[in-house]
């Protein structure tokens, strides 16, 4: 193989690499989950509408991890903690519970606007169960959810 | 790309981390973040209440009845203090029962333990403070307090025959 052939092969590989890179995506309209006051009984539930954008098509996946050990969905106050559940819904509004670190596929991304034109097309939901709240100690608890969007 | 903003603030002398939500940027992948904030105030729960059917009076002695209670909290370590304030359904919240026309006085006692040994007489609408035998957490099912009712012979013998009823209300509050 002469040098000219090697050069052409390099250009071909470069072109293939550039054409196979993923199209841009974006997650936006994220808001904090400031949970309402617990009245002493019942679950506490709060949902946040968000925007999912994928320039290449409506299909995407989200992977949510918490800030507890091993990515657990957990809020803490020093050594105290409360576990909670996270669910995700596409445009249908039907929530599916998430497992931390496990991707969930959906098919309703906005393909034209990186901020959904100011609207939303998906929701994240946080649920604290009555059982976990009844077992918790009085304190202020905080945690963090990280949401990875992939085409 | 991940944007995380951490602001350290001090509230009432206690350091608290406050996170702020962040949107992702346009890219091959995009990552957003959201904080979860939950505040649970001091709470107290009183359960295992029962009515006090005092029965038929036979003409002699006092009438007594008591009921063990479950008081649970979500605060405290060795002690979980609380206060209890009782009020009756008589005039001015008096501890009385009535047949519709005549009041019949009774005494009410609270004990910071099961049973009646060591109980303390309640005064209507006056808080009984520093009760410290509650259990934790709120979901605890431990009996740890007692409410008792006593109707004295002198009062029983001074009223007309009839059926007497009333309500006693107890309000528990964390300390």
């Amino acid at each position: 193989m002469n040098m000219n052939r090697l050069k052409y092969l390099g250009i071909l590989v470069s072109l293939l690499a550039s054409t196979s890179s993923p199209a841009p995506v974006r997650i936006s309209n994220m808001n904090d989950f400031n949970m309402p006051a617990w009245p002493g009984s019942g679950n506490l539930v709060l949902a946040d509408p968000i925007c999912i954008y994928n320039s290449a098509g409506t299909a995407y996946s989200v992977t949510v991890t918490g800030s507890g050990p091993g990515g657990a969905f957990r809020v803490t106050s020093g050594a105290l903690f409360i576990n909670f559940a996270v669910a995700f819904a596409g445009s249908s509004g039907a929530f599916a519970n998430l497992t931390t670190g496990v991707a969930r596929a959906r098919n309703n991304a906005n393909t034209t606007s990186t901020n959904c034109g100011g609207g939303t097309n998906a929701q994240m939901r946080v649920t604290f169960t009555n059982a976990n709240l009844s077992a918790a100690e009085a304190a202020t608890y905080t945690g963090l959810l990280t949401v990875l969007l992939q085409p | 790309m991940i944007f995380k903003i951490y602001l350290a603030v001090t509230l009432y002398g206690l350091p608290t981390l406050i996170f702020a939500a962040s949107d992702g940027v346009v890219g091959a992948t995009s990552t957003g973040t959201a904080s979860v904030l939950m505040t649970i105030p001091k709470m107290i729960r009183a359960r295992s209440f029962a009515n006090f059917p005092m029965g038929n009076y036979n003409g002699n002695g006092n009438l007594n009845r008591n009921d063990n209670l479950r008081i649970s909290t979500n605060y405290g370590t060795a002690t979980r203090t609380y206060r209890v304030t009782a009020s009756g359904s008589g005039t001015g919240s008096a501890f009385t029962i009535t047949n519709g026309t005549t009041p019949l006085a009774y005494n009410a006692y609270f004990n910071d333990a099961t049973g009646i040994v060591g109980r303390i007489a309640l005064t209507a609408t006056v808080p009984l403070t520093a009760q410290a035998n509650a259990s934790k957490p709120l979901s605890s099912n431990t009996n740890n307090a007692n409410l008792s009712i006593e109707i004295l012979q002198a009062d029983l013998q001074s009223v007309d025959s009839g059926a007497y009823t009333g309500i006693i209300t107890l309000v528990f509050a964390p300390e």
Side-chain angles (χ1 to χ4, degrees):
Chain A
M1 189 176 295
N2 61 37
M3 291 304 292
N4 280 340
R5 284 190 176 181
L6 276 177
K7 185 164 62 178
Y8 294 140
L9 184 59
I11 292 170
L12 180 60
V13 170
S14 175
L15 286 172
L16 286 173
S18 64
T19 55
S20 64
S21 63
V25 295
R26 186 188 185 212
I27 184 170
S28 62
N29 202 48
M30 298 288 293
N31 288 290
D32 293 329
F33 290 88
N34 292 313
M35 303 305 293
W38 185 52
S41 64
N43 297 342
L44 268 188
V45 182
L46 189 61
D48 177 40
I50 58 177
C51 167
I52 303 292
Y53 163 75
N54 182 2
S55 62
T58 56
Y60 65 92
S61 71
V62 289
T63 306
V64 182
T65 55
S67 53
F73 299 142
R74 173 178 290 186
V75 289
T76 61
S77 177
L80 304 173
F81 66 87
I82 312 174
N83 291 326
F84 59 89
V86 177
F88 189 88
S91 57
S92 70
F95 283 96
N97 283 328
L98 301 179
T99 301
T100 184
V102 177
R104 170 74 65 171
R106 282 289 180 269
N107 195 31
N108 67 305
N110 187 304
T111 60
T112 58
S113 170
T114 60
N115 69 347
C116 299
T120 58
N121 58 359
Q123 290 189 83
M124 278 180 53
R125 186 182 69 188
V126 166
T127 300
F128 288 82
T129 64
N130 178 69
N132 287 349
L133 293 168
S134 295
E137 191 157 336
T140 295
Y141 299 82
T142 58
L144 185 68
L145 291 174
T146 302
V147 188
L148 172 65
L149 170 64
Q150 295 173 293
Chain B
M1 185 176 290
I2 302 174
F3 292 101
K4 296 180 182 178
I5 302 172
Y6 301 92
L7 299 176
V9 300
T10 300
L11 187 62
Y12 303 119
L14 296 174
T16 305
L17 279 178
I18 303 297
F19 307 110
S22 66
D23 291 341
V25 296
V26 176
T29 66
S30 184
T31 301
T33 63
S35 68
V36 182
L37 177 65
M38 159 70 75
T39 299
I40 299 181
K42 283 185 174 180
M43 291 183 171
I44 190 166
R45 185 182 194 187
R47 289 179 294 162
S48 196
F49 283 87
N51 291 327
F52 290 85
M54 305 303 288
N56 292 321
Y57 185 52
N58 64 10
N60 287 298
N62 303 335
L63 286 180
N64 288 280
R65 203 163 185 96
N66 73 90
D67 176 36
N68 284 331
L69 302 176
R70 298 172 182 171
I71 314 301
S72 56
T73 70
N74 64 354
Y75 59 89
T77 51
T79 59
R80 291 171 275 276
T81 58
Y82 65 92
R83 63 180 55 199
V84 54
T85 306
S87 55
S89 53
T91 303
S93 300
F95 294 143
T96 59
I97 53 178
T98 179
N99 63 354
T101 55
T102 305
L104 171 57
Y106 64 87
N107 298 319
Y109 300 87
F110 190 80
N111 196 12
D112 195 16
T114 56
I116 63 172
V117 177
R119 68 184 183 178
I120 296 174
L122 293 167
T123 301
T125 72
V126 176
L128 177 63
T129 63
Q131 304 303 291
N133 194 37
S135 58
K136 194 174 73 172
L138 288 172
S139 52
S140 171
N141 288 320
T142 303
N143 285 340
N144 49 28
N146 184 275
L147 175 66
S148 54
I149 299 295
E150 173 189 56
I151 307 178
L152 298 177
Q153 172 180 284
D155 291 321
L156 288 162
Q157 291 180 346
S158 67
V159 294
D160 292 345
S161 63
Y164 291 76
T165 61
I167 296 175
I168 184 169
T169 302
L170 282 79
V171 176
F172 295 81
E175 288 186 335

